[in-house]
Amino acid sequence: MKRILFSLLLVSISLFGFDYHLKPQKVNDTTWCFLGKLEAPSKHNGGFMSNHCYVNTGKHYVLIDAGGTYEIAKQAYEQMQKIADLPVSTVILTHEHDDHWLGASFHKEKFNAKLVGVASINKNYDKNSKTRMFRMLSADAIKNTKIVKVEQEISEPTTLKIDDTSFQIIPVGVKAHTSEDLFVYVPKNKTLFSSDIVMNGRITSNRDGSVIGQLKAVKMLEKMDFKNLVPGHGFDTSKNAMNETKQYFTLLKQRVLEAIENEVSAQDITKVVKMEEFKNKALYDELNSRNVFDAFNELEFYEEEE
């Protein structure tokens, strides 16, 4: 009997997919976000560990990022239909990490939404690619997820107007969180979507990034006139949302450069630079030492620009 019940459970999971229990968080009158868990992707969370947002433009939704699976995107849209039953016209994909864009396959399939974003997605992935989500998640979480191509590659500041809402898409222009990063600004309600240039409540992963580039990106964000800032990971969407990121990378640069000046070796750098102000943040144990080590390699022969 137990075997029969277990088999029925597996069939049920296969039919209905992973239940993400998603709830949209209202940021302002036109913006709702699905804020992911402060965790690494796993079978337990089904890859829901990054933020993606819907903007109501009057007759359509525009998405900033799309989540990490087809099922996340599908279930998020079903929640948004309860708020306003609108089609998705455009999905803006801010960088190539798969937790932010694999969900676009749902919006392409259902709405033929236009996919706008970084060229590195097209360059580094094709329909046969198996990203970490495909490797790490359970079959019910990753089912129906496909690799989709960006149709409009953004390499310079670009403004899209959808209905009565303008979206300013701004490339950072240097390696920051990844080799190519975009942020998005909506002047109508002064909302800034930083993607992974900003995280809060957790330690960032800088495995594909640059300390110097991150600090340049933060300066670019600070020049924008915003009321809300939505990070790529984290729950704080206020004007203070980037404070942790700015402090982390400012101190990381300062302390690693001081250690290099004091002839600390690569072997010992993580023993000297610990960033203990952040030890209570999520993923500190998993990511901080790697960030420090990578910062040493980046900054070992760094000379400050005048």
Side-chain angles (χ1 to χ4, degrees), residues 109-279:
E109 178 183 293
K110 184 171 179 64
F111 304 105
N112 195 27
K114 184 176 183 179
L115 306 184
V116 178
V118 293
S120 53
I121 293 175
N122 291 346
K123 178 181 177 181
N124 296 330
Y125 304 93
D126 61 35
K127 64 181 182 179
N128 298 314
S129 298
K130 296 300 179 186
T131 71
R132 62 178 175 164
M133 292 297 182
F134 289 93
R135 296 191 301 268
M136 296 178 68
L137 304 186
S138 59
D140 58 316
I142 199 64
K143 73 172 192 171
N144 298 319
T145 304
K146 299 179 180 67
I147 303 293
V148 288
K149 290 289 187 180
V150 169
E151 296 155 292
Q152 182 178 350
E153 297 178 357
I154 303 296
S155 59
E156 59 185 13
T158 302
T159 298
L160 300 180
K161 188 166 185 182
I162 313 296
D163 302 328
D164 65 349
T165 304
S166 293
F167 295 81
Q168 296 177 6
I169 309 173
I170 304 170
V172 173
V174 298
K175 183 166 76 169
H177 180 67
T178 66
S179 62
E180 288 184 90
D181 298 284
L182 308 173
F183 61 90
V184 182
Y185 180 63
V186 180
K188 183 177 180 180
N189 52 26
K190 296 185 177 182
T191 305
L192 187 56
F193 302 89
S194 72
S195 191
D196 283 6
I197 296 166
V198 172
M199 302 186 191
N200 55 56
R202 56 158 281 183
I203 297 296
T204 185
S205 170
N206 204 39
R207 68 188 184 277
D208 297 323
S210 158
V211 174
I212 302 303
Q214 281 276 5
L215 288 170
K216 177 179 179 179
V218 166
K219 286 182 179 179
M220 293 175 70
L221 293 171
E222 287 181 316
K223 293 178 181 177
M224 307 300 294
D225 178 20
F226 63 92
K227 291 182 178 178
N228 295 105
L229 187 151
V230 180
H233 300 260
F235 306 143
D236 184 355
T237 61
S238 73
K239 283 185 69 70
N240 298 319
M242 85 171 94
N243 289 359
E244 284 182 26
T245 293
K246 181 178 180 180
Q247 182 189 23
Y248 184 82
F249 282 104
T250 299
L251 291 175
L252 181 60
K253 176 188 172 186
Q254 173 189 320
R255 289 174 182 172
V256 169
L257 284 174
E258 287 176 355
I260 291 169
E261 184 70 20
N262 292 328
E263 300 185 349
V264 175
S265 68
Q267 182 179 350
D268 293 329
I269 190 66
T270 58
K271 300 173 186 175
V272 174
V273 179
K274 297 182 178 180
M275 305 295 288
E276 290 188 329
E277 297 91 338
F278 299 88
K279 65 182 179 181

Side-chain angles (χ1 to χ4, degrees), residues 74-112:
K74 177 177 181 291
Q75 292 176 36
Y77 179 72
E78 288 168 354
Q79 293 301 311
M80 291 305 301
Q81 278 185 296
K82 299 173 184 177
I83 297 171
D85 191 0
L86 301 173
V88 172
S89 71
T90 308
V91 184
I92 302 171
L93 303 171
T94 60
H95 65 288
E96 68 169 286
H97 287 164
D98 62 351
D99 53 310
H100 290 264
W101 62 270
L102 282 178
S105 56
F106 166 76
H107 301 290
K108 192 65 190 171
E109 178 183 293
K110 184 171 179 64
F111 304 105
N112 195 27

Side-chain angles (χ1 to χ4, degrees), residues 34-37 47-52 67-68 99-100 196 232-233:
F34 293 87
L35 304 177
K37 300 178 186 297
F48 179 49
M49 34 71 69
S50 65
N51 299 343
H52 71 284
D99 53 310
H100 290 264
D196 283 6
H233 300 260

Side-chain angles (χ1 to χ4, degrees), residues 4-15:
I4 294 173
L5 290 173
F6 183 69
S7 297
L8 289 172
L9 177 61
L10 291 179
V11 170
S12 175
I13 289 172
S14 170
L15 288 173

Side-chain angles (χ1 to χ4, degrees), residues 52-68:
H52 71 284
C53 299
Y54 281 74
V55 179
N56 183 332
T57 62
K59 297 179 181 178
H60 301 89
Y61 284 126
V62 171
L63 265 67
I64 316 300
D65 286 332

